[in-house]
């Protein structure tokens, strides 16, 4: 008997022949919306990364600038054993752009008895007001209304006279007990010998070592690579040989100010004696003739105020902040779309204050 249940034939599916114009346009629109979302997400992520990198660079630049100044100020006034042979010297302020030996502030004592003229030694530091900086040819591209700081010392590395770099100024002090001389400053020549540096060690036979005279001025310039950018930069002008050479140190340093701590008396109030502790802070000399706060040799600490800024502006960024710069007042608010950060550090002049302790 024939089975009456026959298989049901499958329905033939109609073949896909393409998309209608409406379907195509809907698909393209959805695709563009997805791509736009991805582009926006990437742009926001990239912008946030760029802002973070700018802030990190700004923070690192500010910290490095304070560390750099702090380290150099810690060595300011380092004159090794010169002070032990120079008696009670007179401290003078050397010219910031000085290149000649006679203008660096060094001179051994002369004469005897009541006719003795004390030795002179350059003061460890000297502040330079903005008007003074503007007039100095060795500090090019100085940013208006910012001060500068001059530092003097000897190199911490002593070398034999024959190893001194030709053309640079070196100081040699006598360690021989039979010598009546104290020290000499001279320009080194190739293979400098006793004709240039005549003093001996304590054995009065072997030549005494020499130390290079270090003279530096820190200031704010209007540019890092001048003629190419306009990024404010902390620069250092340093005596190299017989030429003052300017070197960019930290870019993005927008402003600087110094509060100088003067040691004007000892703990009992005696103004003829000192204890190495700052008694007052000033933005500069008092201007009172003969006063202890009118002499750079009495500065025993420096409070440094720095204002850093990003090297690139941030679109749409505004702020209403003001920044404290110590005795120099405040800065801001700014409307130039650059982000800023203020730093402050107080540095003790160890080589100056240390000699005054217990005096």
């Amino acid at each position: 008997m024939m089975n009456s249940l026959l298989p049901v034939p499958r329905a033939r599916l109609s073949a896909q022949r393409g998309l209608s114009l409406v379907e195509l346009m809907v698909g393209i629109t959805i695709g563009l919306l997805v791509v736009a979302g991805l582009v926006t997400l990437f742009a926001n992520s990239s912008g946030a990364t760029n802002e973070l990198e700018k802030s990190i660079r700004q923070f690192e630049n500010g910290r490095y600038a304070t560390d750099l100044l702090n380290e150099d100020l810690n060595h300011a006034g380092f004159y090794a054993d010169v002070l032990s042979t120079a008696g009670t010297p007179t401290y003078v302020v050397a010219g910031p752009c000085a290149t000649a030996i006679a203008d660096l502030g060094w001179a051994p004592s002369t004469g005897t008895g009541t006719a003795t003229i004390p030795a002179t030694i350059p003061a460890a530091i000297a502040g330079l007001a903005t008007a003074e900086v503007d007039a100095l040819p060795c500090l090019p591209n100085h940013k208006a209304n910012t001060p500068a700081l001059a530092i003097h010392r000897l190199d911490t590395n002593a070398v034999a006279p024959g190893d001194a770099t030709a053309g640079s100024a070196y100081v040699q002090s006598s360690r021989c007990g039979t010598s009546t001389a104290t020290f000499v400053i001279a320009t080194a020549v190739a293979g400098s010998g006793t004709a240039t540096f005549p003093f001996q060690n304590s054995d009065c036979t072997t030549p005494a070592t020499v130390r290079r005279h270090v003279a530096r001025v820190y200031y704010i310039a209007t540019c890092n690579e001048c003629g190419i950018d306009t990024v404010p930069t902390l620069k250092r002008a340093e005596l190299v040989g017989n030429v003052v050479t300017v070197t960019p140190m930290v870019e993005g340093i927008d402003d600087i100010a110094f509060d100088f701590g003067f040691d004007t008396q000892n703990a009992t109030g005696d103004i003829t004696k000192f204890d190495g502790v700052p008694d007052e802070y000033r933005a500069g000399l008092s201007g009172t003739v003969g006063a202890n706060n009118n002499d750079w040799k009495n500065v025993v600490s420096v409070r440094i105020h720095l204002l850093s800024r990003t090297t690139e502006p941030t679109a749409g960024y505004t702020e209403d902040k003001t920044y404290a710069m110590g005795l120099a007042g405040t800065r801001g608010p700014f409307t130039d779309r650059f982000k800023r950060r203020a730093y402050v550090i107080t540095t003790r002049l160890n080589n100056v204050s240390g000699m005054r302790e217990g005096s």
Side-chain angles (χ1 to χ4, degrees):
M1 181 176 178
M2 183 177 294
N3 189 353
S4 60
L5 299 176
L6 297 176
V8 179
R10 296 179 180 178
R12 297 183 61 186
L13 299 175
S14 59
Q16 177 70 43
R17 300 180 182 278
L19 298 173
S20 69
L21 180 60
V22 173
E23 292 173 322
L24 179 62
M25 294 184 68
V26 170
I28 291 174
T29 301
I30 294 174
L32 290 175
L33 289 175
V34 172
V35 171
L38 292 174
V39 170
T40 301
L41 177 64
F42 176 78
N44 290 338
S45 176
S46 178
T49 300
N50 289 337
E51 288 302 313
L52 179 61
E53 290 179 352
K54 286 193 291 187
S55 296
I56 290 174
R57 288 199 304 269
Q58 176 196 12
F59 180 76
E60 290 178 343
N61 287 345
R63 289 295 301 270
Y64 177 65
T66 55
D67 289 346
L68 175 70
L69 289 167
N70 179 63
E71 181 179 0
D72 222 349
L73 281 169
N74 281 335
H75 291 90
F78 171 72
Y79 294 132
D81 52 1
V82 171
L83 295 179
S84 64
T85 62
T88 304
T90 298
Y91 290 88
V92 298
V93 177
C97 296
T99 57
I101 290 287
D103 299 328
L104 296 180
W106 295 90
S109 60
T110 59
T112 58
T114 57
T116 299
I117 299 176
T120 62
I121 291 177
I125 69 163
L128 302 172
T130 181
E132 296 177 83
V133 185
D134 286 336
L136 296 174
C138 64
L139 307 180
N141 306 111
H142 166 243
K143 184 178 180 181
N145 301 318
T146 59
L149 181 68
I151 295 176
H152 288 268
R153 62 180 175 88
L154 294 181
D155 199 319
T156 54
N157 296 315
V159 299
D163 296 329
T165 303
S168 295
Y170 284 81
V171 175
Q172 183 191 49
S173 58
S174 174
R175 302 186 185 94
C176 175
T178 61
S179 175
T180 57
T182 52
F183 63 84
V184 63
I185 180 170
T187 300
V189 296
S192 293
T194 56
T196 306
F197 300 107
F199 297 143
Q200 296 84 36
N201 284 317
S202 57
D203 60 7
C204 298
T205 301
T206 57
T209 55
V210 297
R211 295 178 185 269
R212 183 175 66 88
H213 172 78
V214 178
R216 294 171 173 169
V217 179
Y218 289 93
Y219 75 104
I220 305 297
T222 57
C223 46
N224 183 32
E225 296 183 64
C226 297
I228 298 177
D229 62 54
T230 57
V231 178
T233 300
L234 175 66
K235 292 191 175 184
R236 182 170 72 193
E238 181 171 8
L239 178 63
V240 180
N242 61 351
V243 177
V244 176
T245 302
V246 176
T247 305
M249 302 305 294
V250 191
E251 65 177 353
I253 305 302
D254 196 31
D255 206 343
I256 196 168
F258 305 101
D259 299 340
F260 300 102
F262 287 84
D263 178 16
T264 60
Q265 59 189 18
N266 66 6
T268 62
D270 188 344
I271 63 172
T272 65
K273 297 181 180 180
F274 309 99
D275 55 11
V277 177
D279 298 298
E280 63 173 295
Y281 279 89
R282 304 185 59 87
L285 300 178
S286 66
T288 303
V289 177
N292 288 335
N293 59 9
N294 195 45
D295 197 332
W296 290 115
K297 74 176 183 181
N298 293 324
V299 175
V300 294
S301 67
V302 180
R303 186 172 294 137
I304 307 165
H305 301 269
L306 279 175
L307 187 62
S308 69
R309 50 151 260 202
T310 52
T311 56
E312 300 173 2
T314 298
Y317 176 76
T318 59
E319 67 174 22
D320 56 1
K321 300 177 183 177
T322 58
Y323 299 90
M325 298 293 285
L327 297 175
T330 59
R331 302 289 185 270
F334 299 92
T335 59
D336 53 10
R337 296 181 293 125
F338 288 100
K339 295 181 179 180
R340 288 174 170 80
R341 182 185 295 268
Y343 303 80
V344 59
I345 184 173
T346 301
T347 300
R348 181 174 183 256
L349 304 186
N350 297 320
N351 294 293
V352 180
S353 59
M355 294 184 61
R356 292 168 167 246
E357 292 178 349
S359 63

